[in-house]
Amino acid sequence: MRRITAALGAAAMLSAAAVTAASAGAATTAARHNARHNTRTTYLDPHARTADRVDDLLGRMTLEEKIGQMDQIVDEKLRAPSNPSDGNCSGSNADPLQQACLQKVLISDRTGSILAGGTDNPTDNTGKGWADMYNAVQHYAIDHSRLHIPIIFGVDAVHGFGHPYQATLFPQSIGMGATWDTTLAHEAGAATRQQLVATGGNWDFAPVQDLARDNRWGRYYETWAEEPMLSGAMGAANIAGMQGSAGHPQVAATVKHFAGYSQSINGHDRGEEQLPIRYLQDTFLPSYAAGIDAGAATVMVNSGSINGVPATASHFLLTTELRQRLGFKGVVISDYGDVPALQSAYHVSADLADAVAKAVNAGVDMAMEPDNPSGWDAALLEDVHNGSVSVARIDQSVRRILALKFELGLFDHPYVDPSQADAAVTGNKPLARQAADESVTLLRNQNDVLPLSKDASKLVVTGPNADSMTNQLGGWSVSWQGAFGGGQACCAGPADQIPPGTTVLDGIKAAVSPSTQVVYTQDKSQAVSETSNADAAIVAVGETPYAEGLGDNPSPALTPDQQSLISALEATGKPVIVVVIAGRPLGLGPAEQANGLLMAYLPGTEGGAGVADVLFGTVNPSGKLPVTWPTDAPLQQSGFNAGGASTLGDEPKFFDQLPGTNSGWGSGYNPLYPFGFGLSYTTFKVSGLSASSSVSRHGSGTATFTVANTGARDGIDVVPVYVHQPTETAGIVVPPQRLVGFARVDVSAGQSKTVHVSFPASSLALTPADIDGTEVPQVMAGKYQVQVEDMSADFVIG
Ligand code: BGC
């Protein structure tokens, strides 16, 4: 749990640049300069091998210096309203960097990493302001530390680098998941890298590889999908783009939150997770594993407890699963404050020293501590002295951390060029629009009401999300809870820091012909009376921003006001198009009957243009739900909720749920819209499925089929490839279908394309044995079936 501090208030400023100048001038002695440029010092030699540089540096470090490398401290601890003489800093993010605070955290406490988390923006919250701040902190660490070790600087760039307020932001991951476009995920990762490389964030706490299986959870929108294959494919591509060249990443990506973080028993963030090892291994770990296999440099630990053990203290999770079974070799960081939480929240440690020992011995390399560097130092030192943590274990972690710093090039080119930063954070707008275009998912199109004509004579635009950049960005945008703090009392941000971009209203106005009258109003009766003589009403509804536990919602639904507005518009008899801008499927109420229904997710700064592109047919929609949209209809039909007006979803609901013995009574897979659903303005016919008839356990199968565009418009079809197992002979219940691959096929009207989708047999692995199975998953021999739409093809795994 992060702290909640207001981000307001001006203070006497010592600018980042001033700190740089002062500190560099006072402390960069000729001797230090010589040491840094003495290429006979192996660790300072850019041409030496990373392993040799690490060995050399490690050999020169004291135990205290090693311990400091394993700590990450929030940048607020480098700040204070005025420079305290004792380095006792208690600044907020609005305070300037102070020399005494830098000295205390970076030099006296030898801290190896700084975090600028959700609310920790510099006063000058521009690309340049970030670059200046980063350079100032980095200069201080390098110039003043005995061995000139750079810090690694962590930020949360979860849909682009969302903090500088003019930044271009992509759709949140749930919208990116709806594109099913791994090339796009790669490009968005690369664009985020450009933003970070220019501003100094060399460690990105993204992507989230958790699965969206419970829409009550406030972090649902940070995930790609509800199931592991799509999530893994999108995450792997994103990581490759974000890190740049393998082996020498420009930015370190983070697979988080390892593992099973989304699975709290009641939809609340950071709670109790009861997760059978079979479910963990067969359903959740493959999503994280795909990111690890793509070369992710770091992993962040789940904040919750699993089966009664805090993940941060689980040797089984962080060493057996992560290192030994998944083969991860990089740096493991705890989540925010989770090491001290072993004492303060979980009460599995009597004191901080024991908490630190438990985390480090479980496999944590670095603690996102976040604000007590002296406490960390003392605790880990005590652990070494009393024998509860070995120096060998510390060396192992410090090696990983130093290797990452070397590979990122931080010893060789540690600073960024602030003059490039603003352009870098504001670039990539066409890519953000493409992402929005591809994500928008058409759920209902009664009588082909869409696309609307650009020459309509009158359109009414209304609803709380029609002209709200803040709402379409969601959390982790400018600030933790969203731009303007999401309007939440806890976390208000500067009101004037709303990123530029296009809202739905902007997009509509830009799309229509000059003769079209666009009436925008937030007044319900005016909206209704204007609609009565309009061609159509477009009503944008959904959610306001949130992040983490503040977004947990026991009953996610359109608000009563939104539902009443939609009902009133529908009563006019005119076409009503509902655009949902939200981080998750919501109970829709009357929106289920709207003539047109679009899910836009949280579409980013260019989201309004993306919505308009689909509304007016500039783009033929290709977005497909990466999650299931639950419904309460089965409950109503079965009499339990007869006549009730509730729009509560029948949740959790996901397509690969296991079959039971009472699926006729509402417990089967009966969503409002299934996983993978999304309409197009053209029609497709998929035919001619064939598949490899025999697949080895360590090999791959291939499905081949033809996608024909049978309509009048060019379009993109997304075709999921599932595997069905008629009988699982080892006695393990398997989902009726498991997603093993997909094709995203661009087909012109009247044309067809034949595609091949290959899938590794390992994606069908199951954990053997009875209810208590904890063994390594295995690919079971037997009969299987590839399923594509209504076709199937048998194959065996021998
Ligand atoms: C979140 C992480 C995030 C970290 C740093 C935590 O509260 O759980 O996902 O990376 O803060 O901001």
Side-chain angles (χ1 to χ4, degrees):
M1 178 68 67
R2 67 183 46 252
R3 86 277 99 189
I4 295 175
T5 48
L8 298 173
M13 301 290 160
L14 173 58
S15 75
V19 171
T20 308
S23 61
T28 307
T29 62
R32 284 187 179 126
H33 178 88
N34 289 343
R36 276 188 56 65
H37 294 86
N38 179 355
T39 47
R40 282 173 301 167
T41 305
T42 305
Y43 82 90
L44 292 174
D45 177 2
H47 305 295
R49 290 184 332 131
T50 296
D52 295 338
R53 298 178 83 177
V54 170
D55 280 346
D56 181 45
L57 179 52
L58 198 68
R60 296 167 190 264
M61 290 169 75
T62 63
L63 178 60
E64 288 77 2
E65 285 167 335
K66 293 175 184 175
I67 286 173
Q69 285 299 308
M70 295 172 67
D71 195 15
Q72 182 178 69
I73 292 296
V74 69
D75 91 321
E76 288 175 6
K77 295 301 291 179
L78 307 175
R79 301 172 179 280
S82 58
N83 210 11
S85 53
D86 57 358
N88 188 12
C89 300
S90 51
S92 83
N93 63 305
D95 295 323
L97 295 171
Q98 295 292 358
Q99 198 151 342
C101 308
L102 293 160
Q103 180 69 23
K104 162 90 173 75
V105 174
L106 299 174
I107 310 306
S108 310
D109 293 321
R110 301 163 289 266
T111 301
S113 179
I114 295 296
L115 150 77
T119 49
D120 306 324
N121 298 336
T123 318
D124 174 17
N125 189 22
T126 62
K128 180 175 177 307
W130 276 85
D132 284 336
M133 173 181 74
Y134 165 79
N135 279 346
V137 176
Q138 190 64 286
H139 254 297
Y140 205 94
I142 291 175
D143 294 347
H144 294 73
S145 62
R146 187 177 73 89
L147 292 164
H148 315 291
I149 303 178
I151 51 138
I152 180 168
F153 194 89
V155 296
D156 293 286
V158 296
H159 62 135
F161 185 33
H163 290 269
Y165 74 92
Q166 339 90 312
T168 301
L169 289 175
F170 295 96
Q172 297 273 4
S173 292
I174 199 72
M176 294 295 286
T179 71
W180 298 58
D181 186 347
T182 52
T183 305
L184 179 73
H186 188 281
E187 288 170 356
T192 303
R193 167 162 48 89
Q194 287 162 18
Q195 294 178 320
L196 292 174
V197 161
T199 49
N202 35 49
W203 189 355
D204 188 3
F205 303 129
V208 170
Q209 292 301 116
D210 309 316
L211 300 184
R213 284 167 100 81
D214 186 339
N215 66 335
R216 297 171 302 179
W217 183 45
R219 304 194 75 168
Y220 190 96
Y221 67 88
E222 294 186 55
T223 72
W224 307 105
E226 73 182 21
E227 69 73 57
M229 191 272 139
L230 176 57
S231 172
M234 293 297 286
N238 188 250
I239 287 164
M242 188 188 297
Q243 295 198 148
S245 106
H248 288 286
Q250 288 180 283
V251 168
T254 309
V255 164
K256 72 183 189 183
H257 307 79
F258 193 84
Y261 174 53
S262 57
Q263 288 312 109
S264 96
I265 54 168
N266 50 17
H268 282 292
D269 191 40
R270 285 174 154 77
E272 170 183 350
E273 293 138 26
Q274 296 296 342
L275 202 48
I277 299 308
R278 168 170 295 125
Y279 193 31
L280 174 75
Q281 293 189 157
D282 299 354
T283 302
F284 292 93
L285 291 189
S287 170
Y288 307 94
I292 290 165
D293 292 346
T298 77
V299 162
M300 187 185 294
V301 183
N302 170 3
S303 240
S305 67
I306 303 179
N307 306 341
V309 175
T312 305
S314 170
H315 187 270
F316 174 77
L317 189 68
L318 302 183
T319 298
T320 308
E321 290 285 17
L322 180 61
R323 302 260 178 213
Q324 294 164 5
R325 296 186 178 177
L326 299 186
F328 179 65
K329 301 215 176 343
V331 173
V332 172
I333 183 165
S334 80
D335 202 345
Y336 201 95
D338 285 348
V339 176
L342 297 177
Q343 178 195 2
S344 60
Y346 287 118
H347 308 291
V348 296
S349 290
D351 54 33
L352 183 60
D354 185 64
V356 169
K358 280 201 166 69
V360 170
N361 287 332
V364 169
D365 296 313
M366 185 185 288
M368 190 185 286
E369 213 273 326
D371 54 13
N372 181 12
S374 312
W376 168 265
D377 292 348
L380 192 45
L381 210 51
E382 182 184 331
D383 289 335
V384 174
H385 289 148
N386 69 23
S388 53
V389 176
S390 68
V391 173
R393 173 67 195 93
I394 289 176
D395 282 353
Q396 186 182 43
S397 288
V398 178
R399 273 181 194 285
R400 292 170 183 149
I401 293 162
L402 294 178
L404 179 58
K405 290 184 175 184
F406 283 116
E407 279 161 10
L408 284 166
L410 296 178
F411 283 82
D412 310 323
H413 38 84
Y415 307 114
V416 297
D417 176 359
S419 71
Q420 305 295 316
D422 283 337
V425 299
T426 56
N428 287 300
K429 289 204 178 349
L431 186 63
R433 180 169 182 166
Q434 181 196 335
D437 283 347
E438 290 186 16
S439 68
V440 173
T441 306
L442 178 60
L443 297 175
R444 188 171 157 89
N445 195 12
Q446 201 188 29
N447 301 325
D448 291 334
V449 66
L450 294 174
L452 296 171
S453 166
K454 291 180 183 173
D455 297 319
S457 60
K458 178 176 173 184
L459 296 171
V460 175
V461 180
T462 186
N465 288 359
D467 194 26
S468 172
M469 181 54 62
T470 301
N471 289 3
Q472 76 188 44
L473 294 179
W476 303 102
S477 307
V478 183
S479 193
W480 178 41
Q481 294 293 323
F484 195 26
Q488 306 211 35
C490 65
C491 316
D496 58 349
Q497 295 195 1
I498 307 293
T502 57
T503 64
V504 171
L505 177 63
D506 298 331
I508 291 171
K509 281 183 176 165
V512 294
S513 65
S515 61
T516 304
Q517 184 194 359
V518 176
V519 177
Y520 172 65
T521 176
Q522 288 297 350
D523 180 89
K524 181 178 167 191
S525 42
Q526 192 195 351
V528 170
S529 69
E530 295 281 1
T531 299
S532 58
N533 62 6
D535 295 283
I538 298 147
V539 50
V541 291
E543 295 183 305
T544 53
Y546 51 80
E548 300 190 17
L550 292 172
D552 296 345
N553 183 341
S555 179
L558 298 180
T559 64
D561 278 359
Q562 295 176 7
Q563 296 198 26
S564 142
L565 173 63
I566 293 165
S567 292
L569 293 168
E570 285 172 348
T572 65
K574 293 288 182 174
V576 175
I577 318 300
V578 175
V579 179
V580 178
I581 294 184
R584 51 188 151 195
L586 300 173
L588 291 172
E592 282 186 29
Q593 305 310 321
N595 307 84
L597 177 63
L598 293 180
M599 178 56 169
Y601 313 92
L602 299 169
T605 46
E606 307 313 305
V611 168
D613 284 342
V614 169
L615 284 175
F616 296 99
T618 309
V619 161
N620 188 356
S622 59
K624 308 283 173 198
L625 288 177
V627 291
T628 295
W629 200 299
T631 176
D632 68 344
L635 295 175
Q636 301 219 20
Q637 281 155 18
S638 62
F640 286 111
N641 196 16
S646 165
T647 52
L648 178 69
D650 177 17
E651 63 222 344
K653 187 69 74 184
F654 36 88
F655 91 94
D656 52 356
Q657 67 184 69
L658 303 183
T661 53
N662 66 346
S663 18
W665 291 90
S667 72
Y669 186 60
N670 40 26
L672 183 60
Y673 298 111
F675 175 74
F677 183 78
L679 301 170
S680 167
Y681 296 149
T682 188
T683 49
F684 296 98
K685 172 83 185 138
V686 183
S687 62
L689 173 68
S690 63
S692 347
S693 56
S694 168
V695 176
S696 88
R697 289 179 198 214
H698 304 291
S700 293
T702 303
T704 301
F705 49 90
T706 299
V707 182
N709 182 337
T710 50
R713 289 194 52 148
D714 298 350
I716 294 171
D717 198 14
V718 173
V719 186
V721 176
Y722 297 103
V723 165
H724 169 69
Q725 211 170 345
T727 307
E728 202 301 296
T729 49
I732 302 161
V733 187
V734 291
Q737 292 187 314
R738 284 184 277 172
L739 184 74
V740 293
F742 55 88
R744 188 171 185 278
V745 200
D746 193 343
V747 201
S748 306
Q751 302 294 304
S752 62
K753 277 186 185 165
T754 296
V755 293
H756 309 276
V757 176
S758 60
F759 58 91
S762 59
S763 61
L764 299 168
L766 297 170
T767 299
D770 204 332
I771 294 172
D772 57 350
T774 59
E775 290 165 36
V776 179
Q778 295 171 18
V779 180
M780 308 290 183
K783 294 181 180 171
Y784 294 79
Q785 238 179 25
V786 170
Q787 296 186 336
V788 175
E789 300 210 339
D790 56 355
M791 300 173 289
S792 64
D794 295 342
F795 69 100
V796 291
I797 295 184

